[in-house]
Amino acid sequence: PLPRALFAFAAMLPPLPQPPAPNPFAVKSRKLLYDSPWVRLREDRFRHRRGSEGRYAVVGWHRTACGVLALDDQDRVVLVGQWRYPLEQYSWEIPEGGGEAQESPFEAIRRELAEEAQLAARTWEPLLFFHVSNATTDEEAYLFLASELEAAPDGHELDPDEEILLHREPFAQALARVQAGEITDSLTVAALLALQARRGGASEPLAA
């Protein structure tokens, strides 16, 4: 369920309609096909209430996706550049990473901001919660807005398999790169569009 406690305005919204019995699937079996410290793959066999039977592959994640839209006092977005192995291309993104089981999404993204950008923030606000690709995976994403940036108080090191460049991009220009298809990372796209919608009055202010 949507973590409505994160959003002051969410409690003010009327619920969206659902059919009386929203789940049409009866699971006949569930088999784990692959498991790693990061990702797992299972295959379900199901019967649909309209009579069909089939298989469904579901990708699960052991970590929670977390990202932070960090803005400096010149309204510039802190971006990190890195090579994305699955895409085989370079990508510019907001600082992001996977939250461990023992930490909250907020704790996770504070750690990632320090590790990837060597930054801390005095002001934090929740920005967005969403499911990254709900047709194939159960992955959840939590996005935060950070401002009043300062150097991280303690030294932090990147993971052994990370090579990262840092860049600060004016917010309007970063948004234009999303619209042009140059910035394509899903958490980055969602964060920039969410803040633009908020600035345009599409939602109430968020409560930390």
Side-chain angles (χ1 to χ4, degrees):
L2 175 68
R4 285 175 171 258
L6 288 177
F7 303 97
F9 66 87
M12 302 166 55
L13 299 174
L16 288 167
Q18 286 191 10
N23 183 5
F25 297 99
V27 178
K28 300 171 62 179
S29 66
R30 183 164 285 176
K31 182 179 180 181
L32 183 65
L33 302 179
Y34 174 79
D35 198 11
S36 77
W38 302 275
V39 65
R40 62 186 179 273
L41 175 65
R42 79 167 197 263
E43 182 183 79
D44 293 358
R45 292 184 177 270
F46 67 84
R47 177 189 293 274
H48 194 278
R49 63 181 165 210
R50 297 182 65 184
S52 65
E53 295 187 359
R55 297 182 297 179
Y56 210 117
V58 178
V59 179
W61 296 85
H62 294 296
R63 300 180 181 183
T64 302
C66 305
V68 55
L69 179 51
L71 291 174
D72 67 13
D73 56 5
Q74 299 179 50
D75 204 35
R76 295 180 302 178
V77 179
V78 176
L79 295 176
V80 297
Q82 59 185 310
W83 182 260
R84 283 303 186 183
Y85 192 96
L87 301 180
E88 296 187 340
Q89 66 183 45
Y90 205 77
S91 177
W92 283 100
E93 310 163 1
I94 59 173
E96 55 192 50
E100 304 288 351
Q102 72 275 12
E103 61 184 353
S104 70
F106 178 54
E107 291 169 334
I109 200 54
R110 283 197 303 177
R111 171 177 53 77
E112 291 290 344
L113 182 62
E115 289 177 1
E116 294 190 355
Q118 307 296 308
L119 291 172
R122 294 183 180 179
T123 301
W124 288 86
E125 298 174 74
L127 183 60
L128 191 66
F129 169 83
F130 68 103
H131 289 102
V132 177
S133 180
N134 63 8
T136 56
T137 175
D138 62 4
E139 186 176 22
E140 297 178 339
Y142 292 81
L143 299 179
F144 295 86
L145 178 65
S147 56
E148 296 186 87
L149 305 179
E150 57 189 11
D154 302 314
H156 295 271
E157 295 184 0
L158 296 173
D159 293 335
D161 60 350
E162 286 185 313
E163 293 183 6
I164 285 177
L165 293 179
L166 289 175
H167 173 65
R168 297 195 181 195
E169 182 85 356
F171 175 79
Q173 197 162 289
L175 189 65
R177 294 188 192 278
V178 167
Q179 295 170 309
E182 185 177 359
I183 290 179
T184 61
D185 170 69
S186 62
L187 270 65
T188 306
V189 170
L192 290 168
L193 293 178
L195 182 56
Q196 175 68 5
R198 176 176 160 185
R199 288 180 170 182
S203 65
E204 297 293 327
L206 299 172

